[in-house]
């Protein structure tokens, strides 16, 4: 047996040899260790976010600037749509009852005002401002400084966590259904996702059918397309524009004419030239010349600019570009008929998306194929007004549900089953942060496995389960019945009692 002194020396030499091991050297040389080494400098904000997510804190002595204890019952989920860094945290501050709210992480207390959080409604539900250190500024939100609350020196935490993705949920933040779902055989999981997606198809179809009863089938399709092209945040102003379609579509003699009307009605027409791009300014002048003559007649329908949201939007998805595309569709006419013909054509699975793209894609637009907005410089290469991922979104969220509910209403069994076949076979949409978070929370990993997640219908399944169960439970999954339902799928059916 080693005596204490000899044991310590051996342990130390073991630690040194681990620190200099081949793997440790590889890790450092090949950028697997974050660069932050200066304990005297403030750490990168992203590192603070990972530390918060993994709760690498002395959790029993967290204290706000005004001396209240902080108990973190759940750190929340990293935000995938901008706004505060973490959503839905559960915290107990001082003697108050636990509250659920958002957490914002900044380097310093002054970040609250400097980044405009105090004026941004998206930050209304922030219950804790986590900072590295304090400076002259204080905010109305409870503030927790981290610099003296870490469970290890910051340089060590940087080495351990600096390259950890915020998108990878720590094991203890995964949903209670993750374990039973992981045990489910792949075919059973696929079947579960497909049946959840089928509910989603029916729900979307029902909304389109109800609207069609009020405004007709064609208008309900147009409204669905406008809403889908508004994405999550601009669906409502797009719906308002679609509802006025009969007025603004009448008598327009070109896609440009329709664009001028839609831009004017949207309230998004800039009133000043950019002075940066002669081409962009020339186009804006022409739009104004056109809109100027007509705007009085449309004045009642002009939307306030503040109805639109731009935070986190990709340039290609800017509402102006989407309206430019819609103007082409409306001007070309017969979109409904072309979609109906497409539904009746024989199309192999592998050509489904391309065949619909052929119907929806438009020829180059002189301006919008080359610009993201009224103020952006001309692009080096023309960009399509509609990409393949958006075609998939339109297919699974609007076009297939619309065709399906029409087939059901018309008792056309053949068409209904053909639409269901297309829905099941549609290739997956672009993976995104919402889907990755859903998979991580529900399945315990963000990556795809064994063919799971290769179709749009499986993605729709994840989203539906998230809506039906995760959205109804808190972040700790309290009271969620989904894990039990999944476990029930693994049990053998009860033996029949009869002889
Ligand atoms: S709320 Fe339910 S469905 Fe969502 S992750 Fe938790 S256990 Fe799973």
């Amino acid at each position: 047996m080693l005596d204490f002194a000899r044991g310590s020396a051996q342990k130390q030499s073991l630690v040194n040899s681990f620190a200099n091991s081949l793997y440790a050297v590889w890790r450092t040389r090949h950028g697997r260790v974050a660069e932050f080494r200066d304990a005297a400098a403030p750490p990168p904000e992203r590192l603070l976010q990972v530390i918060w997510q993994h709760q690498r804190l002395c959790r029993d002595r967290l204290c706000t600037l005004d001396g209240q204890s902080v108990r973190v019952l759940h750190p929340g989920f990293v935000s995938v749509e901008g706004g505060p860094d973490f959503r839905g945290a559960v915290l107990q501050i001082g003697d108050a009852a636990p509250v659920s709210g958002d957490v914002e992480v900044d380097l310093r207390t002054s970040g609250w005002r400097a980044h405009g959080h105090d004026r941004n409604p998206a930050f209304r539900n922030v219950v804790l401002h986590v900072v590295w250190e304090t400076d002259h500024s204080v905010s109305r939100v409870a503030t927790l400084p981290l610099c003296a609350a870490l469970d290890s020196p910051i340089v060590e935490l940087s080495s351990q966590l600096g390259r950890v993705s915020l998108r990878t949920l720590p094991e203890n933040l995964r949903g209670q259904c993750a374990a039973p779902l992981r045990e489910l055989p792949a075919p059973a999981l696929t079947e579960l996702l497909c049946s959840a997606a089928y509910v989603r198809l029916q729900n979307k179809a029902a909304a389109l059918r109800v609207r069609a009863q009020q405004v007709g089938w064609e208008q309900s399709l147009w409204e669905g397309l406008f809403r889908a092209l508004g994405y999550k945040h601009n669906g409502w102003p797009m719906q308002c524009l679609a509802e006025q379609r009969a007025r603004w579509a009448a008598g327009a003699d070109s896609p440009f004419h329709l664009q001028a009307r839609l831009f004017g009605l949207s309230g998004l027409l800039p009133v000043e030239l950019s002075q940066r791009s002669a081409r962009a300014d020339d186009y804006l002048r022409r739009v104004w010349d056109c809109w100027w003559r007509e705007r009085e007649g449309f004045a009642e329908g002009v939307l306030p600019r503040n109805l639109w949201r731009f935070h986190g939007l990709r340039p290609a998805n800017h509402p102006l570009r989407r309206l430019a595309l819609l103007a082409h569709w409306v001007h070309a006419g017969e979109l409904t008929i072309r979609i109906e013909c497409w539904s009746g054509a024989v199309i192999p699975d592998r050509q489904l998306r391309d065949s619909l793209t052929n119907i929806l894609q438009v020829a180059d637009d002189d301006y919008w194929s080359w610009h993201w907005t009224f103020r952006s410089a001309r692009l080096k290469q023309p960009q399509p007004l509609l990409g393949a991922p958006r075609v998939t979104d339109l297919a699974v969220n609007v076009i297939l549900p619309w065709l399906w509910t029409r087939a059901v209403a018309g008792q056309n069994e053949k068409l209904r089953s053909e639409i269901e076949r297309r829905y099941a076979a549609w290739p997956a949409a672009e993976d995104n942060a919402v889907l990755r978070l859903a998979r991580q929370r529900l399945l315990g990993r963000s990556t795809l496995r064994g063919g799971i997640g290769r179709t749009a219908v499986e993605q729709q399944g994840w989203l539906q389960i998230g809506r039906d169960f995760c959205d109804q439970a808190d972040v700790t999954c309290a009271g969620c019945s989904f894990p039990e339902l999944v476990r029930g799928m693994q049990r053998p059916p009860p033996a029949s009692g009869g002889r």
Side-chain angles (χ1 to χ4, degrees):
M1 204 165 161
L2 294 168
D3 64 42
F4 178 73
R6 256 180 78 208
S8 295
Q10 285 201 341
K11 274 186 217 156
Q12 190 54 49
S13 110
L14 200 59
V15 167
N16 289 342
S17 75
F18 279 150
N20 298 319
S21 75
L22 180 66
Y23 188 84
V25 172
W26 282 354
R27 205 171 161 252
T28 311
R29 280 210 192 130
H30 293 273
R32 302 300 102 183
V33 179
E35 289 301 309
F36 179 70
R37 303 238 170 83
D38 179 3
E45 197 171 299
R46 198 192 147 282
L47 176 59
L48 294 184
Q49 291 168 347
V50 179
I51 288 171
W52 174 258
Q53 186 186 42
H54 287 253
Q55 288 289 292
R56 293 298 304 271
L57 309 167
C58 299
R59 287 165 44 76
D60 54 345
R61 43 188 168 91
L62 299 178
C63 196
T64 62
L65 279 182
D66 58 0
Q68 298 194 80
S69 61
V70 177
R71 205 169 141 229
V72 182
L73 301 169
H74 195 291
F77 292 113
V78 71
S79 170
V80 291
E81 297 176 318
D85 294 314
F86 292 87
R87 301 279 193 180
V90 184
L91 307 170
Q92 187 171 22
I93 299 178
D95 296 330
V99 288
S100 178
D102 303 334
V103 172
E104 173 63 10
V105 180
D106 281 315
L107 276 184
R108 300 187 180 85
T109 41
S110 56
W112 187 257
R113 288 220 176 113
H115 302 159
H117 304 330
D118 55 331
R119 302 182 298 279
N120 187 341
F123 286 74
R124 221 177 347 221
N125 292 330
V126 171
V127 288
L128 189 68
H129 188 207
V130 172
V131 297
W132 174 245
E133 60 192 357
T134 58
D135 53 10
H136 53 275
S137 177
V138 284
S139 68
R140 60 161 187 88
V141 182
T143 303
L144 173 69
L146 290 189
C147 73
L150 306 180
D151 70 1
S152 311
I154 185 70
V155 173
E156 231 175 279
L157 288 175
S158 170
S159 167
Q160 293 165 21
L161 299 173
R163 296 276 164 182
V164 169
S165 167
L166 276 166
R167 305 282 180 228
T168 303
L169 279 191
E171 182 73 37
N172 56 3
L173 293 191
R174 289 170 188 168
Q176 289 178 16
C177 59
L181 275 174
R182 261 183 293 188
E183 282 164 22
L184 220 51
L189 179 57
T190 302
E191 194 187 322
L192 175 65
L193 292 172
C194 290
S195 56
Y198 192 66
V199 168
R200 198 166 168 85
L201 171 76
Q202 288 176 312
N203 288 345
K204 287 182 186 291
L208 288 160
R209 187 185 65 243
V210 167
R211 188 65 186 147
Q213 284 162 356
Q214 298 159 14
V215 295
W217 284 112
E218 183 177 358
Q219 177 63 12
S220 94
L221 175 66
W222 277 111
E223 291 179 9
L225 294 171
F226 268 72
R227 271 197 314 276
L229 288 175
Y231 301 83
K232 190 168 175 185
H233 297 309
N234 289 313
W236 180 241
M238 290 295 258
Q239 168 76 24
C240 294
L241 289 175
E243 286 171 6
Q244 304 181 55
R245 185 178 66 97
R247 286 195 64 221
W248 54 254
D253 56 18
S254 67
F256 174 79
H257 195 172
L258 285 168
Q259 286 170 356
R261 286 181 179 176
L262 280 170
F263 297 156
L265 282 164
S266 71
L268 295 177
L269 257 187
V271 288
E272 284 172 9
L273 301 175
S274 74
Q275 313 279 8
R276 274 183 290 171
S277 159
R279 203 183 291 260
D281 284 349
D282 177 57
Y283 175 75
L284 180 57
R285 252 189 229 106
R286 288 195 294 123
V287 172
W288 263 111
D289 284 348
C290 187
W291 173 243
W292 189 261
R293 287 194 292 273
E294 300 190 320
R295 74 170 178 174
E296 203 151 316
F298 288 109
E300 272 179 23
V302 175
L303 303 180
R305 187 184 164 83
N306 61 9
L307 221 51
W308 299 89
R309 285 173 61 186
F310 303 99
H311 187 81
L313 262 187
R314 289 188 194 173
N317 299 340
H318 196 284
L320 287 168
R321 256 183 131 246
R322 295 310 182 197
L323 291 175
L325 169 70
L326 285 156
H328 279 277
W329 285 353
V330 172
H331 185 258
E334 300 186 336
L335 186 67
T336 325
I337 294 171
R338 281 184 286 145
I339 287 174
E340 284 169 346
C341 290
W342 173 81
S343 71
V346 177
I347 303 171
D349 289 355
R350 67 180 182 287
Q351 287 171 15
L352 281 173
R353 189 171 58 196
D354 288 349
S355 61
L356 186 60
T357 304
N358 287 341
I359 289 173
L360 299 177
Q361 193 54 273
V362 299
D364 277 1
D365 182 287
D366 285 349
Y367 184 82
W368 292 103
S369 297
W370 295 90
H371 295 82
W372 300 132
T373 68
F374 278 113
R375 299 189 177 278
S376 57
R378 186 176 164 87
L379 301 165
K380 290 198 174 74
Q381 299 284 334
Q383 296 296 322
L385 286 179
L386 188 72
R390 189 69 345 209
V391 172
T392 289
D393 286 347
L394 292 174
V396 295
N397 290 313
V398 184
I399 294 172
L400 292 174
W402 184 79
L403 287 166
W404 186 85
T405 194
R406 289 203 72 176
V408 171
Q411 298 184 344
N412 186 338
E413 282 302 304
K414 190 169 164 231
L415 180 59
R416 183 179 66 80
S417 74
E418 171 60 15
I419 298 304
E420 287 172 11
R421 182 192 73 77
R422 292 187 189 190
Y423 188 67
W426 206 275
E430 223 174 31
D431 206 20
N432 60 41
V434 177
L435 278 166
R436 276 194 294 275
L437 180 62
R439 278 200 307 270
Q440 280 190 355
R441 200 176 166 200
L442 285 125
L443 201 55
R445 63 168 177 273
S446 64
T447 46
L448 305 170
R449 168 193 76 166
I452 299 286
R454 305 275 177 238
T455 58
V457 81
E458 287 170 8
Q459 294 175 322
Q460 296 291 304
W462 288 123
L463 295 174
Q464 187 63 36
I465 294 168
R467 172 164 294 190
D468 286 339
F469 291 93
C470 302
D471 290 359
Q472 319 294 326
D474 68 16
V475 283
T476 63
C477 304
C480 179
S481 53
F482 190 62
E484 202 40 46
L485 296 175
V486 177
R487 279 191 202 98
M489 287 179 75
Q490 295 161 330
R491 285 186 210 116
S496 139
R499 282 199 262 167

